[in-house]
Amino acid sequence: MALPITENSTQELIGKALSQAISYEDYRAMVSQLVLEGKATGPEQTEALANYTMLNDRRMKRFDKTVKVSAEDADAIAKLDRKVQLIVLTESWCGDAAPALPVINKVAQLNDNIDLKVILRDENVDLMNRFLTNGGMSIPKLIFWDAENQEVLADWGPRPKLAAKLVADHKAKHGQLLPEIKEEIQQWYNKDKGQSTLKEVLASFPLK
């Protein structure tokens, strides 16, 4: 459940979050280390969360290698002529983050004007509360931040529209989310190969 919104402005909360943000490379290294220690990010430590972290580490390694950006999309990204920070709220155990983060990183690598930073949701609850999904703190949540003008340009997440529909249809059919939905949605992500995420993320950029 979301906590009460603080008196701080979104700009102040983003500034605070960025002061403790890490790069994608450092995030990947942190997750890999957590796997070795049998741990997860966040205040709650359980065997289940540690196992999800391990699975996500494997999935991110795979997506890091397999996500492709078309020449047309790469050209569009290269034309971005203003600096944009991509701030991702996530946790190591989040199943939707594993396929999304490698895609976002691929985009950031294609233009020096794009700076990707990763922050942990449970360490930035006040900021998370400004970007809820249907009242919940769903992650990953991507914030497009114009640091020069101190404004939020857009946000995206926690999953592509087609994946969200898959989950909604499952819930409508069964009246609840059954354990097998995790496998269903991961199979969808594997078949999609990051292209739905890429398309939606690019649609949120201030591209000409």
Side-chain angles (χ1 to χ4, degrees):
M1 180 180 294
L3 298 177
I5 292 178
T6 69
E7 295 297 326
N8 293 10
S9 68
T10 299
Q11 290 87 344
E12 290 172 329
L13 293 173
I14 287 178
K16 178 183 177 182
L18 286 174
S19 71
Q20 58 190 21
I22 60 176
S23 68
Y24 178 71
E25 291 74 18
D26 286 345
Y27 175 74
R28 292 290 294 107
M30 179 182 69
V31 173
S32 294
Q33 182 61 35
L34 287 170
V35 171
L36 294 176
E37 297 173 1
K39 297 180 180 179
T41 56
E44 184 180 1
Q45 295 295 321
T46 67
E47 182 178 356
L49 292 179
N51 286 338
Y52 288 137
T53 297
M54 179 180 65
L55 286 173
N56 289 339
D57 185 49
R58 293 175 182 171
R59 289 163 178 162
M60 284 189 285
K61 286 178 181 176
R62 183 172 70 250
F63 279 106
D64 280 334
K65 295 177 181 178
T66 60
V67 169
K68 304 296 183 184
V69 179
S70 70
E72 181 181 0
D73 286 337
D75 287 343
I77 296 166
K79 292 177 181 176
L80 179 68
D81 59 0
R82 61 189 291 190
K83 292 191 177 297
V84 176
Q85 282 191 308
L86 301 181
I87 306 168
V88 182
L89 287 147
T90 190
E91 294 288 345
S92 67
W93 43 260
C94 176
D96 288 302
L101 275 165
V103 175
I104 298 167
N105 181 56
K106 289 283 186 182
V107 171
Q109 290 177 329
L110 292 171
N111 192 318
D112 289 339
N113 284 321
I114 304 173
D115 179 33
L116 172 58
K117 295 296 183 184
V118 181
I119 59 177
L120 298 179
R121 181 195 71 176
D122 293 343
E123 294 179 3
N124 295 274
V125 174
D126 291 334
L127 178 59
M128 183 73 250
N129 273 316
R130 304 295 171 95
F131 297 92
L132 302 178
T133 301
N134 298 322
M137 298 195 296
S138 300
I139 49 176
K141 178 63 72 168
L142 169 61
I143 303 168
F144 296 76
W145 176 243
D146 182 338
E148 182 178 352
N149 296 309
Q150 291 285 290
E151 65 174 329
V152 174
L153 301 172
D155 65 82
W156 176 88
R159 55 174 68 104
K161 293 176 181 176
L162 290 175
K165 184 178 185 302
L166 177 68
V167 174
D169 289 348
H170 177 98
K171 188 173 183 179
K173 180 179 179 180
H174 300 286
Q176 60 180 320
L177 294 180
L178 301 177
E180 51 262 36
I181 187 58
K182 292 183 182 295
E183 181 63 27
E184 289 178 28
I185 199 166
Q186 285 304 324
Q187 289 178 359
W188 182 89
Y189 278 125
N190 290 339
K191 291 179 181 178
D192 184 71
K193 298 179 180 179
Q195 294 308 299
S196 292
T197 297
L198 177 63
K199 179 180 178 181
E200 293 182 19
V201 168
L202 291 185
S204 296
F205 266 104
L207 300 175
K208 295 181 179 178

